[in-house]
Amino acid sequence: MRTIDFIIMMALTVFCASAAFACEPIALNWDQFYALNDQNKDKKIQRSEWQSLNFNGSNYDAGFESSLPRAQIFQQMDKNKNGTLEEQEIYDLYLYLPNPCADFDMRKSMPDQKADWFSLQKISAFFNELFD
């Protein structure tokens, strides 16, 4: 009997841990981003390409959240100061895009405390019937 209770508790722990209250941000669609913005197809963004940056279809259609001018953002992202944003530098773009989890309300993702459809007693009874 104790083994069944242990299995139930472990199953619940794993289930609850995997269904943790979290917001998983959506990744930038890099293929779409480069298709629209990398005009010379070198997988780098030059300053001239940056001026007409397009986020359509990239999962961040609204573009920048930062109030900084685009030129200043480019300058900050261009760590090696070569006038292009290379693969490692372009990932800093996330610092200037809106955080999709900023307004995430964990309380709305929590199950209703009054709902007993997932009670320990019901799960225990189910496993007891299963193993008896």
Side-chain angles (χ1 to χ4, degrees), residues 11 13 15 32-33 43 61 103 125-126:
T13 302
F15 175 78
Q32 180 68 15
F33 179 81
K43 287 291 185 182
D61 293 344
D103 296 328
F126 170 78

Side-chain angles (χ1 to χ4, degrees), residues 29 57 92 106 112:
N29 181 338
D92 283 348
M106 184 178 77
D112 185 4

Side-chain angles (χ1 to χ4, degrees), residues 1-128:
M1 187 66 157
R2 286 199 174 269
T3 305
I4 293 173
D5 289 341
F6 177 76
I7 292 171
I8 292 169
M9 291 306 294
M10 290 304 295
L12 282 174
T13 302
V14 169
F15 175 78
C16 291
S18 66
F21 308 114
C23 174
E24 188 171 326
I26 192 163
L28 186 78
N29 181 338
W30 289 106
D31 292 334
Q32 180 68 15
F33 179 81
Y34 278 113
L36 291 172
N37 298 298
D38 185 16
Q39 295 155 358
N40 62 1
K41 308 298 181 213
D42 64 351
K43 287 291 185 182
K44 299 176 184 175
I45 302 295
Q46 278 72 28
R47 191 178 304 274
S48 59
E49 295 168 331
W50 183 264
Q51 297 308 318
S52 59
L53 210 57
N54 186 342
F55 286 96
N56 290 337
S58 69
N59 298 329
Y60 286 87
D61 293 344
F64 294 111
E65 182 177 67
S66 176
S67 60
L68 294 174
R70 282 189 180 198
Q72 188 174 352
I73 293 173
F74 184 91
Q75 188 176 18
Q76 289 177 356
M77 290 175 60
D78 186 14
K79 303 284 190 243
N80 61 6
K81 306 300 180 204
N82 67 350
T84 64
L85 297 179
E86 297 162 9
E87 189 174 357
Q88 290 302 315
E89 294 170 323
I90 196 72
Y91 290 126
D92 283 348
L93 191 59
Y94 283 113
L95 299 173
Y96 303 97
L97 295 174
N99 179 352
C101 295
D103 296 328
F104 178 71
D105 187 354
M106 184 178 77
R107 294 170 296 178
K108 290 183 181 176
S109 68
M110 292 173 38
D112 185 4
Q113 297 297 324
K114 294 180 183 174
D116 67 339
W117 61 271
F118 189 68
S119 69
L120 182 57
Q121 292 81 14
K122 287 186 179 186
I123 294 172
S124 182
F126 170 78
F127 279 106
N128 283 332

